[in-house]
Amino acid sequence: MYVCSCFGITEQQVRDHADTGACTPREIASACKAGTDCGNCVRRIQALLGRGSCPRRALIDNGASGPLAPEGRAPGSQPVAEVAAAAPAALSEAA
């Protein structure tokens, strides 16, 4: 059955993306565009994802490094606090 008629995405495709680590409607949208046009399918996607376990989230909780850096950040990214602290200096330099 189709979940997203805008992009022709089926329930099985959403499940397949969830099985490979997409845990939220936003991650499903990044994987296949479902939910990015009219938005009518977002609640259905949420229902398909349910409140079950997320394999990627479980890896993060168990301290896996893999493609994600410790603390769940992308490799090379800065914590929000560091970026926010540097922002005033960067703004004054730009002026």
Side-chain angles (χ1 to χ4, degrees):
M1 172 182 223
Y2 284 102
V3 172
C4 176
S5 53
C6 295
F7 293 102
I9 305 300
T10 64
E11 288 182 2
Q12 187 58 50
Q13 288 173 298
V14 171
R15 287 188 189 102
D16 291 344
H17 289 299
D19 289 344
T20 59
C23 301
T24 65
R26 182 171 288 175
E27 291 171 345
I28 295 292
S30 293
C32 65
K33 294 188 179 181
T36 61
D37 195 21
C38 75
N40 285 332
C41 59
V42 173
R43 288 187 186 214
R44 181 69 184 137
I45 293 168
Q46 288 172 327
L48 287 170
L49 294 174
R51 297 197 182 270
S53 65
C54 173
R56 199 184 59 171
R57 190 174 300 130
L59 289 173
I60 293 168
D61 291 343
N62 291 326
S65 53
L68 293 176
E71 301 177 28
R73 292 190 316 271
S77 66
Q78 293 178 292
V80 172
E82 288 178 21
V83 173
L91 289 175
S92 62
E93 291 173 8

